[in-house]
Amino acid sequence: MEKVYLGWIFIAIGCFALLPICYYIFIAIKSRSWPKRMAMITYNSLAVKKAGYWEGRSLLSGDLIKYRYNVERVDYENSQITAADLIVKLMVASDELLANFPEKEMLEIAYNPNKPQQSLLISGLTKWNFLPIVTIGIFIAVGIALVIGRI
């Protein structure tokens, strides 16, 4: 009986965790049609790591990359690489990926026309959008197995 309750808890937590994931997948899909702007990379943590100043810093705090862009004469600064950043930021921003965005380089970003402060370096769906779904799917599957008595 206790396994059944535990199973329902697993399922409930898994379903609750899907809500923000679905929102970020929605943002990723919508970002494909967002207008584009040129932006300048103003900070890249890879340069800090290579210079040896990364010691004592946490990967969870601080930005891994920053870029600046202008929409209708208003300057914005953002640090979001993909729509999945808020969920799997550390995996998205590998050193190989950060090497593609050196400081002081101009590149094209996509920004939300309704909220210009929201922008992405890499718009659209990426593999990182689906990684949390796999993890949550396993969590829900374990819950179902507990409920039906397979575990």
Side-chain angles (χ1 to χ4, degrees), residues 6-98:
L6 183 61
W8 283 113
I9 290 170
F10 269 63
I11 293 169
I13 291 171
C15 290
F16 183 71
L18 275 176
L19 295 175
I21 306 298
C22 291
Y23 171 74
Y24 291 116
I25 287 176
F26 173 76
I27 293 294
I29 292 169
K30 293 277 290 178
S31 71
R32 302 283 294 166
S33 63
W34 288 353
K36 309 285 189 217
R37 279 282 189 264
M38 293 306 288
M40 177 182 278
I41 302 294
T42 57
Y43 172 77
N44 185 328
S45 63
L46 186 59
V48 175
K49 284 184 199 176
K50 285 184 177 178
Y53 297 116
W54 195 257
E55 218 170 291
R57 293 184 184 204
S58 167
L59 287 174
L60 294 172
S61 65
D63 295 316
L64 299 172
I65 198 165
K66 284 185 184 179
Y67 52 93
R68 184 172 294 149
Y69 60 101
N70 184 297
V71 177
E72 296 180 10
R73 297 185 184 153
V74 177
D75 289 330
Y76 296 98
E77 187 171 69
N78 202 344
S79 61
Q80 202 166 356
I81 299 170
T82 71
D85 277 8
L86 298 175
I87 302 164
V88 288
K89 184 174 191 171
L90 299 179
M91 290 183 229
V92 170
S94 66
D95 288 353
E96 295 81 30
L97 179 67
L98 290 174

Side-chain angles (χ1 to χ4, degrees), residues 1-10 142-143 145-147 149 151:
M1 193 66 163
E2 293 164 1
K3 286 185 178 182
V4 172
Y5 291 126
L6 183 61
W8 283 113
I9 290 170
F10 269 63
V142 168
L146 287 169
V147 168
I151 295 181

Side-chain angles (χ1 to χ4, degrees), residues 62-144:
D63 295 316
L64 299 172
I65 198 165
K66 284 185 184 179
Y67 52 93
R68 184 172 294 149
Y69 60 101
N70 184 297
V71 177
E72 296 180 10
R73 297 185 184 153
V74 177
D75 289 330
Y76 296 98
E77 187 171 69
N78 202 344
S79 61
Q80 202 166 356
I81 299 170
T82 71
D85 277 8
L86 298 175
I87 302 164
V88 288
K89 184 174 191 171
L90 299 179
M91 290 183 229
V92 170
S94 66
D95 288 353
E96 295 81 30
L97 179 67
L98 290 174
N100 294 329
F101 304 112
E103 285 185 24
K104 308 293 185 226
E105 185 173 302
M106 296 292 289
L107 51 90
E108 194 173 67
I109 56 108
Y111 73 94
N112 184 342
N114 299 322
K115 294 193 295 189
Q117 68 274 14
Q118 183 180 30
S119 61
L120 302 174
L121 272 177
I122 302 171
S123 61
L125 289 171
T126 65
K127 63 183 176 184
W128 305 113
N129 294 102
F130 298 103
L131 184 65
I133 290 176
V134 171
T135 307
I136 292 168
I138 293 169
F139 204 76
I140 292 172
V142 168
I144 291 170

